[in-house]
Amino acid sequence: MTKAQKEILRVLCAVKHPTAETVYTEVRKEIPTVAMGTIYRNLNIFAENNTIRRLTRSPLPDLFDDNPSPHEHMTCIHCGKTVDLLIPGLMEYISSHTTAEIVHAELSVQYICDECK
């Protein structure tokens, strides 16, 4: 694993649900010569091999999560803060309401965070 890859993963563990731009800004503090292309390329590789999880929020920039295991997220409609939402048994509940084979489910929850209330 390269120095840049290690630093990207460190940032993902330290900053919850960052954008690629945030990862770039943080990695540059340790590796000033890192290129934005390096950040994007490695985030894509990590997401493709399930080391991390990409959260698509069209038209907003994607977020990246260091926890690739199945879980949901809530996003504040005012400030955009995104937090984990754990719903035990969600896939089983969905599966119990259809005869189709459920491969993946993604629940999108919008809320108003405490800071924005």
Side-chain angles (χ1 to χ4, degrees):
M1 185 174 291
T2 68
K3 182 178 179 181
Q5 289 172 327
K6 289 177 187 174
E7 188 61 21
I8 289 167
L9 291 176
R10 186 199 66 76
V11 168
L12 287 171
C13 290
V15 180
K16 293 301 176 195
H17 308 109
T19 62
E21 183 68 35
T22 300
V23 173
Y24 174 68
T25 300
E26 293 300 311
V27 169
R28 279 190 56 131
K29 291 176 183 177
E30 296 299 319
I31 309 172
T33 59
V34 72
M36 189 65 181
T38 299
I39 302 299
Y40 277 118
R41 183 173 50 260
N42 284 291
L43 288 172
N44 287 331
I45 290 168
F46 290 146
E48 287 170 9
N49 69 22
N50 294 318
T51 301
I52 65 171
R53 189 168 169 195
R54 177 192 312 271
L55 309 175
T56 304
R57 312 176 308 152
S58 183
L60 300 172
D62 291 350
L63 299 179
F64 296 90
D65 191 341
D66 68 321
N67 179 1
S69 66
H71 65 282
E72 305 311 321
H73 296 90
M74 299 189 320
T75 301
C76 177
I77 60 172
H78 293 295
C79 70
K81 177 182 177 180
T82 299
V83 298
D84 291 342
L85 175 63
L86 304 175
I87 306 174
L90 178 62
M91 288 298 287
E92 292 80 6
Y93 178 81
I94 294 169
S95 293
S96 72
H97 287 78
T98 182
T99 58
E101 179 183 352
I102 304 300
V103 176
H104 174 77
E106 200 163 313
L107 178 65
S108 176
V109 177
Q110 286 78 40
Y111 77 120
I112 301 172
C113 72
D114 291 337
E115 292 80 19
C116 291
K117 281 185 185 177

